[in-house]
Amino acid sequence: DTNQMTTPIIAGAGVAALALTGRAAILSFEAWRRAPPRMRKFYEGGFDPEMTKREAALILGVRESAAKDKVLAAHRKVMIANHPDAGGSDYIATKINEAKAKLIKKGGSGSPF
């Protein structure tokens, strides 16, 4: 009977499809695991003579209208990556602190001096 002959062929094709799908999933997962972590792009500099709210927001990676807690969290994150004790620049650390002061104060010069 033809039905008895096609059943093993269909079952075999199903098992093969399942095996190929599983292999593709495993390879995709391994490639994802080996991929380098995505680094967030931070403000590259070219600082203005007097810091603006826009520049401060770019430095910290937040909106100009960000809430104080978001500004503080962003400041902490950027400062950890650029702290002078960890090999960062004193000048950059000063600019990061100035950006925090500018956004929390919501105006003024933002200069810590």
Side-chain angles (χ1 to χ4, degrees):
D1 195 271
T2 317
N3 235 1
Q4 289 178 342
M5 294 169 88
T6 57
T7 303
I9 293 172
I10 292 173
V15 168
L18 184 64
L20 289 173
T21 303
R23 181 176 182 270
I26 290 169
L27 290 174
S28 294
F29 175 73
E30 287 176 352
W32 171 77
R33 215 175 48 179
R34 280 192 307 264
R38 290 187 176 190
M39 296 301 291
R40 187 164 172 221
K41 188 166 172 53
F42 291 105
Y43 183 59
E44 293 181 5
F47 300 110
D48 295 334
E50 184 174 331
M51 184 163 303
T52 63
K53 283 178 66 173
R54 180 182 181 283
E55 184 180 32
L58 285 171
I59 290 170
L60 295 180
V62 296
R63 294 176 182 236
E64 291 179 39
S65 59
K68 182 178 179 179
D69 60 328
K70 290 203 182 222
V71 171
L72 292 174
H75 172 265
R76 178 174 168 75
K77 190 176 196 178
V78 175
M79 187 55 94
I80 287 171
N82 294 284
H83 198 276
D85 291 346
S89 160
D90 288 330
Y91 178 71
I92 299 295
T94 302
K95 285 296 189 180
I96 294 168
N97 287 330
E98 187 178 350
K100 177 187 80 166
K102 183 74 172 183
L103 290 177
I104 288 177
K105 194 162 140 186
K106 303 290 185 199
S109 71
S111 176
F113 304 108

